[in-house]
Amino acid sequence: MNELLTPDEMAQADRLTIAGGTPGLTLMENAGAAAADATAALMPQGRVTVVAGPGNNGGDGFVAARLLAERGHNAKVVLVGDPDRLKGDARAAFERWRGPVEAASPDALNDCDIIIDALFGAGLDRPVEGAARAMIEAMNASGKPIIAVDLPSGINGATGAVMGLAVKATQTVTFFRRKPGHLLFPGRLHCGPVTVADIGIAPSVLDAVQPRTFANGPGLWGAAFPRPRIDGHKYSRGHAVVVSGGLSTTGAARLAARGALRAGAGLVTIASPREALAVNAASNLAIMVRPVDGVAELAEFLGDPRRNAVVLGPGGGVGETMRQQVTATLRSKAGVVLDADALTSFAGDPEPLFAAIKAGVANTVLTPHSGEFARIFNKIIDNSKVNSKLEMARAAARASGAVLLFKGPDTVVAAPDGRASIANNAPPYLATAGAGDVLAGMIAGLLAQGMAGFEAASAAAWLHGEAAAAFGPGLIAEDLPEALPAVYRRLVEGLR
């Protein structure tokens, strides 16, 4: 269940199911039952107030209220809107409810133990105003546990944006598949734990919907994940190269190299300026160090096709020399990871970078954090039609011709063909110096073993988060590669 459905895609899944013979009211009954089950599990007995809106989300709330009342809960519905304007399945659910319906008022929440938020679903695309806003404010101020139906009201299901104000749910029950807004920030902060309920939509409808957004995890890229062969050897597992900066900035390259080695590359070499050769050599054992100075020597070094993945940028310095190194690297046949200084060197003038990527044969991955993204893709940010991290990443991948890994607690990986993954396993411990250098190396290590760019970047982002979570508090960047073996062990066992 890695697929993430936008509100429009979810509506299509509903329509296809209804066209296939399942009544819409049946889907609503199943959705309301799931919300009722979640409520009863959190509070087996007590007073329940359902805050219902005028659409199908409100209809789910009426069903939940009826089922909870039948189980012995003291339930009531607070309706935001005119009951005479309810239509279709929501009207039918309203008519099946025999309990009290009160007009929207914050005071209506005073005499309850738990709240069901059935005000808006995932499709909200305008700021919350009026009575709806007052009820969201009252729900958040109540101190009562809140079960959100589909998505906390006020969160845009496609972008995760807060539409002026949003419910802060204790937990969320959604249907068939999660939505991007469940994983993207700030929406994820409002959801609490998210449960996906089966309401009678067959997975086969996905063949028609053809979603392009996925939750990042082994179910997405596991089939492509490299597994060492019993008859393999180090050369068959690829050779990653990390280009080092000068004497005072070697740490970033060494972290990236260690990440590449732990990610499974058979060989890893640091291409080092001669001034830093002794430092790089003294601090590495399994990682080789070779003298490489200037653009011409780098191009010659990468002329060996066995060196099939390159990391460029960590600690490399910003300026014309880096721009030339990037261009030379993109002319090689290696997969390329461009991070940090390799990106910043093209700030304000990214078109030569994009042209070099598109002209090359390399499998290229760009790994910006938000500041680097703004420097390289400012035209995309300024485009008012792009209003979410997910769509900005997609637009950047299309513009650059590269796989784009947009870092953050909700790291998005986007491919030029429109596929995208969203990670939700990164713990806060990853906010530490050098963690991004290790990630760049991990991507290169997977590229060296033959993974394609989108899959390699997605897998590395997930592994990065899992390694940080496995280590826990006190994490520093050097700990990440050493935490990978245990993560790999669990992953490989799960993929068998």
Side-chain angles (χ1 to χ4, degrees), residues 49-94:
T49 294
V50 177
V51 179
N56 283 345
N57 198 246
D60 298 340
F62 278 108
V63 172
R66 189 188 81 240
L67 296 177
L68 287 167
E70 291 172 357
R71 300 178 190 181
H73 285 76
N74 182 348
K76 71 175 183 181
V77 177
V78 175
L79 179 62
V80 179
D82 183 352
D84 292 335
R85 300 184 66 179
L86 293 170
K87 299 183 295 184
D89 296 329
R91 181 75 193 181
F94 165 75

Side-chain angles (χ1 to χ4, degrees), residues 309-329:
V310 185
V311 178
L312 193 59
V318 175
E320 182 58 29
T321 298
M322 175 59 71
R323 289 167 67 97
Q324 293 178 14
Q325 286 182 321
V326 168
T327 302
T329 300

Side-chain angles (χ1 to χ4, degrees), residues 293-304:
D293 270 307
V295 177
E297 287 191 11
L298 178 61
E300 181 181 359
F301 189 72
L302 297 179
D304 186 337

Side-chain angles (χ1 to χ4, degrees), residues 258-329:
R258 189 72 175 176
L261 191 66
R262 281 294 192 193
L267 300 95
V268 179
T269 295
I270 294 177
S272 172
R274 284 168 177 80
E275 68 169 10
L277 201 62
V279 172
N280 279 322
S283 58
N284 288 289
L285 296 174
I287 295 166
M288 297 178 288
V289 180
R290 295 291 181 268
V292 177
D293 270 307
V295 177
E297 287 191 11
L298 178 61
E300 181 181 359
F301 189 72
L302 297 179
D304 186 337
R306 294 174 298 180
R307 296 173 179 137
N308 64 338
V310 185
V311 178
L312 193 59
V318 175
E320 182 58 29
T321 298
M322 175 59 71
R323 289 167 67 97
Q324 293 178 14
Q325 286 182 321
V326 168
T327 302
T329 300

Side-chain angles (χ1 to χ4, degrees), residues 22-428:
T22 301
L25 189 57
T26 298
L27 299 179
M28 185 171 286
E29 285 284 332
N30 292 340
D37 289 345
T39 304
L42 191 60
M43 188 164 291
Q45 292 295 325
R47 299 167 297 172
V48 180
T49 294
V50 177
V51 179
N56 283 345
N57 198 246
D60 298 340
F62 278 108
V63 172
R66 189 188 81 240
L67 296 177
L68 287 167
E70 291 172 357
R71 300 178 190 181
H73 285 76
N74 182 348
K76 71 175 183 181
V77 177
V78 175
L79 179 62
V80 179
D82 183 352
D84 292 335
R85 300 184 66 179
L86 293 170
K87 299 183 295 184
D89 296 329
R91 181 75 193 181
F94 165 75
E95 291 175 349
R96 290 182 178 185
W97 166 243
R98 302 301 181 188
V101 178
E102 298 182 10
S105 167
D107 291 342
L109 303 180
N110 292 339
D111 59 348
C112 69
D113 301 305
I114 191 168
I115 298 168
I116 296 178
D117 165 28
L119 185 51
F120 300 117
L124 184 69
D125 59 0
R126 64 186 185 280
V128 178
E129 300 174 341
R133 185 181 180 92
M135 291 307 299
I136 291 175
E137 289 174 342
M139 282 190 272
N140 288 341
S142 71
K144 311 290 173 60
I146 302 173
I147 305 294
V149 178
D150 196 19
L151 201 72
S153 292
I155 299 297
N156 183 297
T159 68
V162 173
M163 307 304 289
L165 185 70
V167 166
K168 294 182 178 178
T170 307
Q171 63 186 71
T172 298
V173 181
T174 195
F175 314 118
F176 183 53
R177 293 294 187 272
R178 287 176 293 175
K179 317 306 180 289
H182 290 123
L183 275 67
L184 292 168
F185 277 65
R188 195 168 100 203
L189 297 175
H190 288 253
C191 292
V194 178
T195 301
V196 181
D198 178 3
I199 61 171
I201 299 176
S204 59
V205 303
L206 295 172
D207 295 336
V209 174
Q210 296 186 331
R212 304 293 282 165
T213 308
F214 306 89
N216 193 351
L220 175 63
W221 40 260
F225 194 76
R227 298 161 178 80
R229 293 166 52 96
I230 192 65
D231 60 346
H233 47 78
K234 62 186 178 183
Y235 296 103
S236 64
R237 295 176 65 182
H239 188 164
V241 174
V242 178
V243 181
S244 174
L247 185 60
S248 63
T249 58
T250 61
R254 285 182 275 138
L255 286 168
R258 189 72 175 176
L261 191 66
R262 281 294 192 193
L267 300 95
V268 179
T269 295
I270 294 177
S272 172
R274 284 168 177 80
E275 68 169 10
L277 201 62
V279 172
N280 279 322
S283 58
N284 288 289
L285 296 174
I287 295 166
M288 297 178 288
V289 180
R290 295 291 181 268
V292 177
D293 270 307
V295 177
E297 287 191 11
L298 178 61
E300 181 181 359
F301 189 72
L302 297 179
D304 186 337
R306 294 174 298 180
R307 296 173 179 137
N308 64 338
V310 185
V311 178
L312 193 59
V318 175
E320 182 58 29
T321 298
M322 175 59 71
R323 289 167 67 97
Q324 293 178 14
Q325 286 182 321
V326 168
T327 302
T329 300
L330 289 169
R331 292 194 189 108
S332 76
K333 295 183 179 180
V336 180
V337 181
L338 299 180
D339 185 41
D341 293 345
L343 299 174
T344 301
S345 292
F346 289 89
D349 183 26
E351 294 305 325
L353 171 62
F354 301 165
I357 291 170
K358 293 172 183 176
V361 296
N363 202 356
T364 304
V365 180
L366 311 182
T367 60
H369 56 56
S370 58
E372 291 158 348
F373 189 97
R375 290 192 282 271
I376 300 297
F377 298 105
N378 59 304
K379 291 182 181 178
I380 290 171
I381 293 175
D382 291 342
N383 182 352
S384 61
K385 295 180 181 179
V386 177
N387 60 359
S388 77
K389 181 173 183 175
L390 175 61
E391 293 310 317
M392 284 194 292
R394 279 197 170 108
R398 288 193 298 270
S400 66
V403 171
L404 196 292
L405 185 150
F406 195 168
K407 296 174 185 174
D410 54 353
T411 291
V412 174
V413 177
D417 64 9
R419 289 174 297 156
S421 69
I422 306 173
N424 67 338
N425 69 329

